[in-house]
Amino acid sequence: MKKKKRIALALAAALMMVLLLAACSDKTIRLGVAGIGGVYQVFGEDYAALQAQNGGRKLEVRETAGSAASLRLLSSGYLQMAVVQADMAQDAYNQTGAFAESEVENNFSTVAVLYQEECHIVVRADSGINTVEELQGKTVSIGEEESGTEQNAKQILAAYGLDEKLVKEVNLNYTDAAKQLQSGEIDALFCTSGVKTEMIEELANSCGIALLPVDGSAAARLLAAYPAYSQGVIPAGSYNGQDQDVPTIGVKAVLLASDELSENTVKALTKTLYDGVDTLQAELGLPLELGPADKIGVPVHAGAAAYYQENGMAAGEDAA
């Protein structure tokens, strides 16, 4: 009788283990994409839809305050993937910059570079503001706290000799910043995002905008001080009423994955990304620059590296 009871308990335990393993294999992957109004959110929704069509593990898009917040949530295990700025990813991995005194763990890796993001500085067309220097004494949204936009805004303002004593800095998400710029409650907003950002397009159509250039000696100082930056441009015609190219600085958007995700899972997710490039580009309205993100100071995930190797793309296990 006792023997039968032991066998029954063993079978029950084995069944429970099978059910747990099945539950783990079906576990949803949470993808952090920052807030509504930016390109990250659009990318995340479209990428999740492609993954659903492929029948792989479900991607659940989660809004965050921005790159820094996404990196903290990725490190803590709440997120399993995230779209972030390359400069923020590098700082988090190396515990430098905004993460110098942080307990964020470098337990994540890169999947791919996605596209170039440009630093937009938006004012109303009728503001009379034509340069960054003219933001002195103005009220400016520098993005949400813990966002990549906030870090870029502070660095750009500093390059022009401006700080919180000379500029009234407010932390607003893109949606609120757009509303307050339109109503005149703020004088300018910063937005680091892919060109043709929906929020800026809507502003350009509703109240008219102008974009301030980041160029000259200030741009040179930024490029020299922060290796993740590159020379950028917002091409003429990107937004309604914009008839000239606007020079600025930019940074890459990258897709990250937790090291807890298996090689096979990330390999499949990388394949979804590359197979769906045409669909993603059409939905985003900007060119994707997909490639191994092995030069930003963060290692490539083993699953992504396996995909690249099979498809003839070079990607090292360690950053170059």
Side-chain angles (χ1 to χ4, degrees):
M1 194 71 178
K2 290 182 179 180
K3 183 177 180 180
K4 288 182 179 179
K5 187 175 181 180
R6 285 198 299 270
I7 293 173
L9 288 172
L11 288 172
L15 179 59
M16 181 62 71
M17 183 61 69
V18 169
L19 291 173
L20 286 171
L21 289 171
C24 289
S25 66
D26 294 332
K27 187 177 180 182
T28 297
I29 296 171
R30 290 187 289 268
L31 169 66
V33 297
I36 293 175
V39 178
Y40 288 5
Q41 194 265 343
V42 179
F43 168 84
E45 296 290 351
D46 293 336
Y47 182 42
L50 288 171
Q51 178 67 6
Q53 291 173 16
N54 291 341
R57 286 179 64 176
K58 180 182 178 182
L59 282 178
E60 185 176 89
V61 177
R62 292 295 179 94
E63 295 172 26
T64 75
S67 290
S70 291
L71 284 157
R72 295 183 197 283
L73 293 169
L74 181 64
S75 172
S76 69
Y78 175 76
L79 297 176
Q80 289 75 49
M81 298 187 79
V83 183
V84 304
Q85 291 179 197
D87 55 341
M88 300 295 284
Q90 188 177 65
D91 281 349
Y93 193 83
N94 296 318
Q95 296 187 339
T96 56
F99 297 89
E101 298 180 3
S102 173
E103 295 182 358
V104 169
E105 296 183 28
N106 53 3
N107 54 358
F108 56 86
S109 306
T110 60
V111 176
V113 167
L114 298 177
Y115 55 85
Q116 172 82 357
E117 297 189 273
E118 308 297 1
C119 294
H120 296 66
I121 309 174
V122 187
V123 297
R124 286 179 59 113
D126 59 4
S127 69
I129 300 171
N130 299 301
T131 66
V132 175
E133 290 94 336
E134 291 172 349
L135 293 177
Q136 182 170 338
K138 306 297 185 183
T139 302
V140 179
S141 172
I142 58 172
E144 290 191 83
E145 291 185 29
E146 294 211 309
S147 67
T149 293
E150 180 187 44
Q151 174 165 288
N152 301 149
K154 286 180 174 293
Q155 291 170 349
I156 290 170
L157 290 171
Y160 282 91
L162 300 174
D163 58 21
E164 65 274 8
K165 295 180 181 179
L166 299 174
V167 174
K168 183 179 179 181
E169 300 175 354
V170 294
N171 290 106
L172 298 173
N173 63 40
Y174 290 157
T175 301
D176 290 341
K179 289 178 181 177
Q180 292 193 26
L181 184 68
Q182 185 169 2
S183 66
E185 296 173 73
I186 63 173
D187 300 292
L189 68 84
F190 279 79
C191 171
T192 302
S193 187
V195 173
K196 294 186 180 295
T197 296
E198 181 180 357
M199 174 270 292
I200 300 175
E201 286 186 314
E202 291 176 356
L203 265 178
N205 293 331
S206 61
C207 68
I209 64 165
L211 298 168
L212 305 185
V214 180
D215 56 6
S217 58
R221 285 192 289 272
L222 287 162
L223 293 170
Y226 305 104
Y229 283 141
S230 59
Q231 192 67 56
V233 64
I234 303 171
S238 296
Y239 302 102
N240 187 29
Q242 181 205 348
D243 56 7
Q244 293 183 342
D245 290 349
V246 178
T248 186
I249 58 170
V251 64
K252 301 294 185 185
V254 296
L255 180 62
L256 304 179
S258 167
D259 292 339
E260 293 299 314
L261 290 179
S262 71
E263 179 176 331
N264 287 338
T265 294
V266 175
K267 182 179 177 182
L269 288 162
T270 308
K271 184 178 187 302
T272 294
L273 179 66
Y274 278 82
D275 287 351
V277 62
D278 291 339
T279 299
L280 290 169
Q281 287 185 142
E283 293 292 332
L284 295 174
L286 58 81
L288 294 182
E289 304 173 10
L290 297 185
D294 56 356
K295 299 186 185 302
I296 68 165
V298 182
V300 177
H301 194 286
Y307 176 86
Y308 293 132
Q309 184 176 7
E310 286 185 10
N311 290 275
M313 290 180 275
E317 289 295 322
D318 298 308

